[in-house]
Amino acid sequence: MPDLATPLIAWYRDTARDLPWRRAGFGAWGVLVSEFMLQQTPVARVVPLLEAWLERWPTPADLAAAAPADAVRQWANLGYPRRALWLHRAAVEIRDRHAGVVPADVDALLALTGIGDYTARAVAVFAYGQRHAVVDTNTRRVLARAVDGRSQPGAPAKRDLAAMAAVLPADDADAAIVNAAAMELGALVCTARVPRCDACPLADACAWRAAGYPDTGDERRRQARYEGSDRQARGAVLRVLRDATSHAVAADGVIADWPDQRQRDRAIDSLIADGLVEASEGKLALPR
DNA sequence: TAATCGTGGTG
DNA sequence: TCACCAAGATT
């Protein structure tokens, strides 16, 4: 297999974005919070909310001492608000199980609420400089094209980690850069819909390019329609509770004009089941 | 394992 | 205009 690491490192040195979590001394807590926020969420939307978050809660213990409701409010309109709840739980777990210090061990990170295969390795690598393969959707697309000669990645699989591990150089610091560079390349150049192959540092090594950019199909599941969905109803309910001036709101009045009352009830029930909403005495509130 | 979970920018 | 897409995790 061609050497992908060397051109990736050179390209990254020249063109990588100056993002907050890449600054020297940003800290493991900041990296962890950034990774929670970046799950399925574009960088541009994360940056301002991340800075506000860390200003309010500079350490895991600070967040752990807050009410979950405050975390959900501070999460604002980032989307997937369960992440706010899970980040708060992770902060409590870090305080209680790790003396308030974000763990460096991948298995310890995996044991925290809301942290999976990607986030655990991202924290270990980008916050602590360890040598692991970090594979996100960008990297999977880069590997699918450059290594496998496919137009799109398949469903996420364990073998993705091995594929990336085979690309990493031996040095820990270089490996961390290659991990970041593969993600950056996928985000800026090797994009999902209109890749900029003319600007790609891997062009000479790319199996997809060598094959003439064949359309090898797309196994990925399509996203469900949002308009009219339960997710939209959940979002509307949570927005009301976030913006309310009082802690609790009369349940009957929450999105009372929603076109589908059954869906409205389902949304509220599922939010309660998720722990994002608490119901008491006919009122709804964010969790204390 | 496949479905579910927000929100907003974009080609 | 609207389907696609975005540093995934959970059940």
Side-chain angles (χ1 to χ4, degrees):
Chain A
M1 185 171 70
D3 169 34
L4 304 182
T6 302
L8 278 173
I9 290 171
W11 175 81
Y12 187 81
R13 189 197 323 112
D14 292 341
T15 62
R17 293 168 292 180
D18 177 26
L19 298 172
W21 47 90
R22 290 175 179 166
R23 297 199 307 254
F26 192 66
W29 172 239
V31 170
L32 188 151
V33 174
S34 77
E35 295 299 348
F36 264 87
M37 291 185 168
L38 286 163
Q39 291 167 4
Q40 296 287 285
T41 305
V43 165
R45 296 186 54 204
V46 164
V47 170
L49 284 161
L50 172 66
E51 291 175 344
W53 188 283
L54 292 175
E55 193 167 325
R56 182 171 183 180
W57 297 304
T59 72
D62 292 324
L63 176 58
D70 291 332
V72 173
R73 280 201 194 85
Q74 189 73 26
W75 198 259
N77 61 341
L78 248 194
Y80 290 143
R82 291 191 292 195
R83 293 182 293 168
L85 206 54
W86 291 343
L87 177 53
H88 180 271
R89 286 179 193 164
V92 170
E93 291 160 1
I94 290 169
R95 180 195 63 193
D96 294 347
R97 309 209 291 249
H98 301 284
V101 179
V102 176
D105 180 66
V106 169
D107 288 328
L109 287 161
L110 282 170
L112 298 175
T113 300
I115 292 191
D117 244 9
Y118 164 78
T119 304
R121 287 170 176 76
V123 171
V125 170
F126 301 135
Y128 291 114
Q130 296 180 26
R131 187 179 181 282
H132 301 284
V134 181
V135 178
D136 75 332
T137 186
N138 291 305
T139 294
R140 293 201 319 109
R141 187 170 52 250
V142 169
L143 293 174
R145 290 175 178 157
V147 177
D148 299 333
R150 304 167 42 78
S151 50
Q152 295 290 345
K158 287 290 183 187
R159 63 178 176 275
D160 297 336
L161 286 175
M164 186 57 187
V167 173
L168 297 182
D171 179 75
D172 290 4
D174 288 342
I177 292 172
V178 170
N179 276 310
M183 294 166 61
E184 187 81 343
L185 187 71
L188 299 181
V189 174
C190 193
T191 53
R193 272 199 278 189
V194 188
R196 302 175 48 221
C197 299
D198 56 336
C200 184
L202 303 184
D204 291 342
C206 181
W208 188 47
R209 175 174 182 263
Y213 304 118
D215 181 354
T216 61
D218 191 344
E219 310 165 12
R220 296 172 301 168
R221 271 186 309 101
R222 283 174 51 184
Q223 258 180 17
R225 181 179 182 81
Y226 183 66
E227 191 66 29
S229 68
D230 284 14
R231 299 162 80 170
Q232 185 184 35
R234 284 168 53 105
V237 170
L238 215 55
R239 180 182 297 263
V240 169
L241 297 182
R242 273 202 316 264
D243 297 347
T245 51
S246 60
H247 175 66
V249 174
D252 293 342
V254 175
I255 64 168
D257 57 347
W258 196 257
D260 182 343
Q261 286 301 300
R262 192 163 296 132
Q263 182 177 59
R264 187 197 88 103
D265 295 344
R266 196 164 59 237
I268 291 171
D269 287 345
S270 72
L271 286 167
I272 292 170
D274 284 347
L276 278 165
V277 170
E278 292 178 345
S280 174
E281 298 176 357
K283 292 187 171 185
L284 300 180
L286 297 178
R288 255 191 229 281

